[in-house]
Amino acid sequence: MAHATNKFSSFSYLSLDVVSGALASMYFFKQLLHVELEGTRYVLLALAVWVIYTLDHLVDLRRSKEAPLSARRIFHWRHRMILGLLVVIAIVFGILGSFFWLGWGIELQVATCLGTVIAGSLGIIHYQGWFKWKEVSIALFYVIGVAWLPLLKASPLDLNWEVFLFLVFYVLLALLNLLMLTFLDREEDLVSGFGSAAQKMTTAQLQGGIRKLGLLLIITSLLAFAFLPSLYRTYSGILFLMTLAHYLIFFGSKSSENQKRIAMELSFSMPWILALF
């Protein structure tokens, strides 16, 4: 049992749970907007997400004022050389794959522009710390990253206010996830010198804000399930389950902080349910 737990922890430390969630989120918007996406697009997104998250962890190690504290950071410290090499390989493969599969068409042009803006913004946040609420920008970038291609391919007739509502909800759900993770990491981030919402608010204020946002999203998703056209009922239901899972894991679970983190990240994989319909 312990061996299985260690394997699952390694799966999370490698950010593969985040990759699965990102792919499922793109699948969510692909189904919502009734578009077709080739499997190569999922491969490129998986590489991009894995590189971003792994690089973020490796950069954090270099900026940390103290030795790594959490098991996650210890893992990245121990394997930093091989992870760095894999990041380089993934970047090269991603660039070559993009030109081979996409060509210099509209998809690659938009992806390049978005990637440049997101990378530049994250770099400023990392090294300058000028943005007070980095969690907001990261949540927004996450949703842009998983939704831009389905939006680009969608028919204008499908780009209605309901889709905009789901986009806003997804941003707020990603923000809820980030605030919860910030709360779990608050002591380590403080010691290591990492800025976050936990350093801008008291523990009680942050926990209260998380509770209010979680309840707001639960109520909103239930109202959407009840009052939106039946076409959107499945999507509203999935968002309700994702939000409820976050809320129950964070406030109701007696699991360890690492187990809570893994469970919350895996909840973003729930949209794979749509593959059954």
Side-chain angles (χ1 to χ4, degrees), residues 15-159:
S15 300
L16 297 179
D17 51 350
V18 179
V19 171
S20 175
L23 296 179
S25 297
M26 185 167 75
Y27 189 80
F28 177 93
F29 287 105
K30 172 253 186 193
Q31 292 291 91
L32 178 66
L33 292 165
H34 311 105
V35 299
E36 293 298 325
L37 295 179
E38 296 84 351
T40 53
R41 276 55 174 176
Y42 291 93
V43 173
L44 293 175
L45 177 63
L47 289 172
V49 171
W50 186 82
V51 166
I52 290 171
Y53 275 80
T54 303
L55 267 181
D56 183 64
H57 292 314
L58 294 176
V59 169
D60 279 348
L61 290 178
R62 296 177 63 87
R63 297 176 58 238
S64 177
K65 295 178 180 178
E66 303 288 340
L69 299 176
S70 67
R72 180 178 299 272
R73 285 183 175 140
I74 290 173
F75 177 89
H76 283 85
W77 177 261
R78 288 176 176 171
H79 303 286
R80 62 192 183 280
M81 298 302 293
I82 184 64
L83 288 173
L85 177 61
L86 289 174
V87 164
V88 173
I89 293 173
I91 291 174
V92 172
F93 186 85
I95 292 173
L96 294 177
S98 296
F99 280 101
F100 181 77
W101 288 323
L102 306 180
W104 187 241
I106 185 64
E107 288 184 33
L108 186 54
Q109 292 171 22
V110 174
T112 301
C113 291
L114 287 176
T116 302
V117 171
I118 291 173
S121 300
L122 291 177
I124 293 173
I125 291 170
H126 257 299
Y127 291 104
Q128 300 298 325
W130 63 269
F131 194 68
K132 184 176 180 180
W133 295 103
K134 72 173 186 179
E135 289 82 5
V136 175
S137 64
I138 294 173
L140 180 61
F141 293 151
Y142 176 85
V143 176
I144 290 174
V146 300
W148 74 268
L149 187 54
L151 288 170
L152 180 67
K153 288 180 169 290
S155 165
L157 295 176
D158 288 320
L159 298 176

